[in-house]
Amino acid sequence: MNLNAKKQLSQIAWAYVLFLIVNRVASLILTFLIRVLSFALATSGILDPSFLFGTDASMLLSLFIMYGIAFPFFVWKMNRIPSWTKTDKKTIPASDFAVLLIFCLGMTYIGNLIGQYLMAIAGSLSGTVQENPLDELITGMHLSVVFVSTVLIAPVMEELMFRKYLVDRLAPFGQKTAVILSGLSFGLFHGNCFQFFYATMLGMVFAYLYSSTGRIRYNIALHMIINFVGGVVPIFLADSTAVSGFLSLLISIFFGAVALACMIIAIVIFCISIRKLKWFPRWVALEEPIVDVILKAPGVWFFLIMTGISFVISWISGS
């Protein structure tokens, strides 16, 4: 396959940079327009404009900007880049899917613990207390908005962005390269150290799954269940009006035990399976190691700079 590796990788990265830029610019414009609308409503006395600045409204606006405005630009850019489609698609038995779900849940908990502990250590060394931006965000949202945003919308869009569109264009460089870059880009895209580790780990698992089966539906289903367990369930349990205090305690203990069991099972599965995984090779001729090609791609550096800025902002705002 005749392919300019550095150009291909750079163009892929530029698609994500374009998404980030459009997302940021659209956010600034719409935020300004909302403030103008708020001022007009407050002045006229027709309607209290405070609802425009609530957590739920902010989340819905963010989703609209990301996937209604920025995502089409991302798709336009990606569609101009050569892609690969797996022809021999595979199905997964229900039993294997269940094992995958347990493994993914375990990896999520492990990655989350790594992020929490490293941020606690970093906060202790710097004399600051770091707060998880995701916890702060979803705890102030209505349960229905959390469900729609994290269970219905985010899994579909994220799997399209970081598996379907990305892996299809990285596959010519080999499955290992596609899996690693998909996971790292997914982790970096989250923009904070709390989510980076579990997002990277899950991103790699999802990338391997998609590149091995050619079916994105398994990824979306797993992603939806994981977000439901990690996003909706905690809010439901924290709602004192939903369940009694004692019952909530019992449920919390139960989920704690399940999380511990999932982590142990995930570690066992990883140790047993890691050497048995089958990887398809690259079919693109490279004149130098893939790492050197990646580091020489301008778009990659712009993507790293932009996501790095997000990490810095997250650190400053979280302290």
Side-chain angles (χ1 to χ4, degrees):
M1 182 177 182
N2 185 17
L3 184 69
N4 186 322
K6 185 175 71 173
K7 181 179 179 180
Q8 173 90 350
L9 292 169
S10 189
Q11 290 299 312
I12 291 171
W14 280 120
Y16 290 93
V17 171
L18 178 62
F19 177 92
L20 292 171
I21 292 175
V22 173
N23 180 65
R24 184 56 181 166
V25 172
S27 295
L28 292 174
I29 293 175
L30 288 182
T31 299
F32 172 76
L33 293 177
I34 288 176
R35 291 188 180 279
V36 172
L37 176 61
S38 173
F39 177 78
L41 291 175
T43 303
S44 63
I46 299 176
L47 188 66
D48 182 5
S50 60
F51 74 95
L52 294 173
F53 302 99
T55 307
D56 294 335
S58 298
M59 171 55 75
L60 295 175
L61 177 63
S62 176
L63 291 172
F64 170 72
I65 293 172
M66 284 193 295
Y67 304 127
I69 299 177
F71 183 71
F73 284 88
F74 168 82
V75 172
W76 168 80
K77 179 63 177 175
M78 277 295 203
N79 283 339
R80 297 166 64 88
I81 303 172
S83 64
W84 161 83
T85 301
K86 186 176 178 63
T87 55
D88 55 330
K89 299 183 184 298
K90 300 177 182 178
T91 57
I92 299 179
S95 57
D96 290 350
F97 182 86
V99 173
L100 261 175
L101 175 59
I102 295 173
F103 177 75
C104 289
L105 285 172
M107 297 302 286
T108 302
Y109 294 132
I110 292 171
N112 185 53
L113 286 177
I114 293 173
Q116 296 281 356
Y117 279 118
L118 288 181
M119 289 304 292
I121 293 172
S124 177
L125 293 175
S126 63
T128 61
V129 178
Q130 291 293 316
E131 299 291 340
N132 190 334
L134 180 63
D135 291 342
E136 294 181 358
L137 178 64
I138 65 174
T139 52
M141 292 167 50
H142 191 274
L143 189 61
S144 61
V145 177
V146 175
F147 181 82
V148 170
S149 59
T150 64
V151 179
L152 297 183
I153 298 178
V156 175
M157 303 308 297
E158 289 178 355
E159 290 309 310
L160 288 176
M161 283 188 66
F162 293 96
R163 255 62 68 182
K164 176 61 179 174
Y165 279 102
L166 182 56
V167 172
D168 283 358
R169 286 154 182 80
L170 290 175
F173 301 100
Q175 193 175 15
K176 285 186 179 180
T177 298
V179 166
I180 293 172
L181 292 183
S182 174
L184 286 174
S185 61
F186 189 51
L188 289 170
F189 203 80
H190 279 72
N192 65 82
C193 291
F194 285 100
Q195 295 176 273
F196 171 77
F197 296 96
Y198 74 76
T200 298
M201 294 161 68
L202 275 183
M204 291 183 182
V205 175
F206 288 160
Y208 182 82
L209 174 63
Y210 172 66
S211 58
S212 297
T213 65
R215 301 184 187 277
I216 199 67
R217 64 177 184 236
Y218 296 125
N219 294 57
I220 294 175
L222 286 170
H223 204 147
M224 284 182 168
I225 296 172
I226 290 169
N227 281 12
F228 177 80
V229 174
V232 176
V233 172
I235 294 181
F236 177 79
L237 294 178
D239 186 358
S240 59
T241 62
V243 293
S244 66
F246 180 70
L247 180 58
S248 178
L249 176 62
L250 290 179
I251 296 176
S252 298
I253 293 174
F254 170 76
F255 273 97
V258 170
L260 179 60
C262 287
M263 286 189 285
I264 295 173
I265 294 173
I267 293 174
V268 172
I269 293 176
F270 179 82
C271 293
I272 294 175
S273 304
I274 187 62
R275 295 181 180 273
K276 299 179 181 179
L277 293 179
K278 296 180 180 180
W279 305 88
F280 61 72
R282 61 179 171 86
W283 56 84
V284 174
L286 298 177
E287 298 180 353
E288 53 189 334
I290 185 64
V291 175
D292 293 342
V293 177
I294 294 171
L295 294 178
K296 291 180 180 180
V300 171
W301 283 103
F302 273 88
F303 175 75
L304 291 175
I305 291 171
M306 294 197 69
T307 53
I309 291 173
S310 297
F311 275 77
V312 173
I313 293 175
S314 174
W315 173 273
I316 295 174
S317 61
S319 60

